[in-house]
Amino acid sequence: MGKILIINTGGTIGMTKTVHGYAPDMEKFHENLYGIPELQNNRICEWEIIDMNPLLDSSNMTVEDWNKIGNIINRNYEKYDGFVILHGTDTMAYTASALSFMLENLAKPVIVTGSQIPICEIRSDGKDNIIAAMMIAAAGIVKEVCIYFRGELLRGNRTTKYSADDFMAFKSPNAPALAEAGILINYNKEILLPEPVGKFYFQQLETIPIGVIKVFPGIQFNLFSNIMTEGLKGVVIEAFGAGNIPGSPEALLPIIKKAFENGTVVTVCTQCFQGTVLLGNYETSNALKTAGAVSGKDMTTEAAITKMYYLFSKGYDTKTICRLMETGLRGEL
Ligand code: ASP
């Protein structure tokens, strides 16, 4: 069993109730964490903890906070065998997706977890989630960024928050679990990402202007014209079904064309919880394809957004970004 670093970013797991609602409480969290018998005397593995300052409700996470987390991993990469990130559930899927791209040639487990009930309250799911996440991080079998929650280890960039109140808060709609934790932790070894060939590298992200447009019946695309062609560098269109858009497809065509010419990358994902975008499969999605929109295939919106942040931060030109959006980089497709 290796030595792991816990990075505490905040989230419900370490919160207490205040007059204004739940908020991070580091002292109380540490009291509870160090009180877990399984964590004492390095029974699971050797571990240390770093608390981010300030601790956040994950709704307040920004690109800068992803950079802070990535920097901590980068600085400590050689010193530890694995990393556990304690994080709020609200944007956990975004952080896990972002880190999966930022941590290039990752050869160690990075396991993101949290809880639906604070660890200081009765019936908390926090203790089990932390213990299993630590065991997985220390075992060193997965070499990628994952979310561990309620018995399942999921590929981070395949995951989406599914329930606001169920103990199993996450689902990975288009990819099976990487491991299941019953009495034993059983890994699905054939689908784990292979050991990387190159050297570990940490890519910082820039705060690129990116937007998401969810289409709906009656949408007036002309209202989005300016932001799509001038304001934003990346747009994720959440289309219907296999990538279909409503109304007259021509309305969107010139906007996407102009956006493409201006260097804006338009990626089409689906509003469906499961399945894939197939641009050109229906007449209603053909316009998107011919105008230069990119197929997000079966990527989650979280993965599409963070992948665009990553590819723009790498400094690639628009054509390369469009090509790489449709290419699997970390198992996100
Ligand atoms: N609002 C909290 C957060 O995302 C919710 C949670 O942790 O479950 O930080």
Side-chain angles (χ1 to χ4, degrees):
M1 282 289 179
K3 180 173 177 181
I4 67 155
L5 179 64
I6 299 176
I7 303 168
N8 179 25
T9 72
T12 293
I13 194 162
M15 289 188 181
T16 52
K17 210 174 209 155
T18 72
V19 279
H20 307 293
Y22 282 106
D25 180 339
M26 193 167 85
E27 227 170 275
K28 189 99 188 161
F29 173 65
H30 276 213
E31 203 179 286
N32 281 277
L33 185 78
Y34 286 101
I36 297 176
E38 290 89 336
L39 266 62
Q40 289 162 7
N41 307 318
N42 295 332
R43 272 178 71 194
I44 298 174
C45 61
E46 268 189 77
W47 61 276
E48 278 162 9
I49 184 165
I50 291 181
D51 298 282
M52 273 184 37
N53 186 13
L55 292 172
L56 294 175
D57 185 303
S58 77
S59 326
N60 291 325
M61 278 269 165
T62 62
V63 170
E64 263 326 296
D65 297 306
W66 297 340
N67 284 335
K68 275 195 203 167
I69 301 170
N71 263 311
I72 295 175
I73 295 175
N74 189 33
R75 281 202 310 273
N76 291 283
Y77 190 74
E78 295 304 333
K79 206 171 147 202
Y80 296 93
D81 301 295
F83 300 85
V84 169
I85 300 173
L86 302 179
H87 197 287
T89 59
D90 287 344
T91 64
M92 189 182 286
Y94 289 90
T95 300
S97 296
L99 289 172
S100 78
F101 298 114
M102 297 161 83
L103 304 173
E104 297 179 8
N105 295 319
L106 179 67
K108 300 185 179 191
V110 174
I111 313 299
V112 193
T113 195
S115 71
Q116 292 281 54
I117 299 180
I119 205 159
C120 63
E121 292 190 1
I122 48 170
R123 292 190 64 241
S124 174
D125 47 333
K127 180 183 149 188
D128 278 356
N129 284 346
I130 290 184
I131 290 174
M134 285 174 73
M135 290 176 79
I136 292 165
I141 295 170
V142 291
K143 293 157 196 333
E144 53 183 297
V145 180
C146 304
I147 286 183
Y148 177 83
F149 229 85
R150 197 62 169 183
E152 284 196 349
L153 184 72
L154 307 173
R155 176 161 294 145
N157 56 33
R158 287 297 208 154
T159 309
T160 194
K161 184 168 177 181
Y162 161 81
S163 173
D165 49 18
D166 203 286
F167 278 129
M168 187 50 204
F170 295 92
K171 281 217 191 301
S172 167
N174 287 316
L178 302 183
E180 269 160 54
I183 291 177
L184 296 173
I185 298 176
N186 287 314
Y187 292 88
N188 205 346
K189 285 195 175 143
E190 324 71 73
I191 57 166
L192 304 182
L193 290 186
E195 180 98 31
V197 189
K199 202 169 166 285
F200 173 73
Y201 177 77
F202 166 57
Q203 173 65 50
Q204 295 241 88
L205 295 191
E206 283 164 35
T207 308
I208 311 289
I210 285 173
V212 179
I213 298 173
K214 181 169 185 161
V215 301
F216 52 89
I219 186 169
Q220 291 165 276
F221 284 114
N222 55 327
L223 299 179
F224 297 96
S225 172
N226 279 352
I227 54 161
M228 279 179 74
T229 55
E230 279 149 46
L232 299 172
K233 296 294 288 171
V235 180
V236 176
I237 296 188
E238 282 195 355
F240 300 133
N244 307 314
I245 49 159
S248 132
E250 289 76 35
L252 189 57
L253 191 68
I255 301 175
I256 292 184
K257 262 196 183 141
K258 195 163 164 219
F260 186 73
E261 280 156 20
N262 288 1
T264 302
V265 174
V266 179
T267 303
V268 183
C269 289
T270 174
Q271 292 178 16
C272 292
F273 188 66
Q274 198 158 34
T276 187
V277 164
L278 287 168
L279 286 191
N281 207 32
Y282 288 88
E283 214 180 308
T284 39
S285 74
N286 220 8
L288 293 168
K289 197 180 171 192
T290 42
V294 166
S295 173
K297 301 185 184 176
D298 64 350
M299 252 191 302
T300 59
T301 299
E302 292 90 327
I305 292 171
T306 54
K307 191 172 176 180
M308 284 207 278
Y309 273 127
Y310 169 72
L311 294 175
F312 276 106
S313 302
K314 295 286 297 172
Y316 296 134
D317 57 57
T318 313
K319 249 179 104 184
T320 308
I321 296 177
C322 289
R323 181 174 56 77
L324 291 177
M325 283 304 289
E326 293 189 345
T327 310
L329 302 180
R330 310 278 193 277
E332 76 281 8
L333 292 178

